[in-house]
Amino acid sequence: MKDQYVYQTGTGLYVNLTNRCSNRCDFCVRNYDADKTKHHGFAGYDLWLDHEPSSDEVVAKAAAALDAHPETEEIVFCGYGEPTYRVEQLCAVADFAHERGLKTRLNTNGHGNAINGRDITDDIVAHIDTIGVSLNATDAKKYDAICHGKWGEKSFDLMLDFAGRCVKRGGNVVMSVVDIIGQEEIAKAQAIADSIGAKLRVRKMING
Ligand code: SF4
């Protein structure tokens, strides 16, 4: 099914707000169907959007999904793009989640301030219970080599600055790396997370 902006995985209701992204990560699940014909999808869903949904559209679909899945515990902002491109809609949907007694989680590349041209971390911390920031690498060069951020090697510092600001504002920040980087890099990643007061999660590599 096309235009999937709300999808269910386990006890999480996932919201896919945009296909825009400031990175072009080598490992992105979008790469497995970049030509949009050999579609593998993600968790069985087609996450390429025909349009970016309004918050009202998302809330309507989410409400229906909650009726069908009363086991839902959280709304997760995650999809084929960087959710903070749509910070206003993200906050509106997060308000709906909290009204329904659900937790909220954001999976972000940490470029939200650079994308919006302003510091959005107040809004993020006020609306998101768990802020997952993809660390991906342990320095700017390595990050650029695999994530190809819009701001070149600065993209790494922009991400770290965002994560640090969220921590300072009291946010629950969980940075992540994938397990294939090896123990030495994982230790460095832990040190980076520790240095800004964030947690670190080591994720399993997803192979499309
Ligand atoms: S930041 Fe996320 S959505 Fe963007 S290219 Fe990387 S993995 Fe894909």
Side-chain angles (χ1 to χ4, degrees):
M1 191 163 94
K2 287 282 290 172
D3 222 19
Q4 199 85 41
Y5 48 83
V6 171
Y7 61 105
Q8 187 86 23
T9 302
T11 56
L13 186 61
Y14 285 67
V15 173
N16 177 33
L17 286 173
T18 183
N19 288 154
R20 288 180 281 166
C21 191
S22 51
N23 274 350
R24 287 178 293 109
C25 301
D26 291 340
F27 51 83
C28 182
V29 289
R30 310 191 308 175
N31 295 341
Y32 297 100
D33 53 8
D35 65 1
K36 302 189 185 183
T37 56
K38 288 179 289 186
H39 202 282
H40 293 202
F42 180 72
Y45 296 105
D46 182 345
L47 301 181
W48 290 112
L49 296 167
D50 288 331
H51 77 294
E52 290 190 334
S54 68
S55 51
D56 285 347
E57 284 178 303
V58 174
V59 164
K61 282 224 170 161
L66 290 178
D67 288 343
H69 295 279
E71 72 278 16
T72 303
E73 293 173 0
E74 63 175 352
I75 286 193
V76 186
F77 297 92
C78 175
Y80 274 10
E82 168 49 40
T84 57
Y85 271 94
R86 310 208 58 223
V87 64
E88 194 185 312
Q89 291 79 9
L90 187 155
C91 291
V93 176
D95 282 339
F96 163 77
H98 287 142
E99 280 162 22
R100 298 291 292 259
L102 303 171
K103 294 279 185 203
T104 56
R105 179 155 60 93
L106 166 67
N107 288 354
T108 177
N109 65 16
H111 291 161
N113 289 349
I115 286 167
N116 288 281
R118 67 181 178 90
D119 188 344
I120 64 165
T121 56
D122 256 344
D123 286 340
I124 296 299
V125 168
H127 289 87
I128 302 295
D129 300 308
T130 300
I131 303 159
V133 181
S134 299
L135 175 59
N136 291 332
T138 56
D139 65 43
K141 251 191 176 29
K142 287 179 198 151
Y143 183 90
D144 190 41
I146 56 171
C147 295
H148 315 290
K150 192 172 166 183
W151 300 275
E153 289 185 12
K154 280 192 188 149
S155 305
F156 181 75
D157 288 338
L158 290 168
M159 172 271 296
L160 278 187
D161 183 69
F162 175 91
R165 283 172 190 258
C166 287
V167 171
K168 280 195 187 119
R169 296 189 195 294
N172 175 31
V173 178
V174 183
M175 307 199 81
S176 64
V177 288
V178 285
D179 55 0
I180 55 161
I181 64 172
Q183 279 311 312
E184 200 177 318
E185 286 295 293
I186 289 172
K188 284 187 196 166
Q190 184 67 64
I192 290 170
D194 289 347
S195 72
I196 61 166
K199 298 173 187 128
L200 182 76
R201 185 166 81 91
V202 181
R203 294 184 277 121
K204 284 246 172 282
M205 181 75 186
I206 299 171
N207 288 313

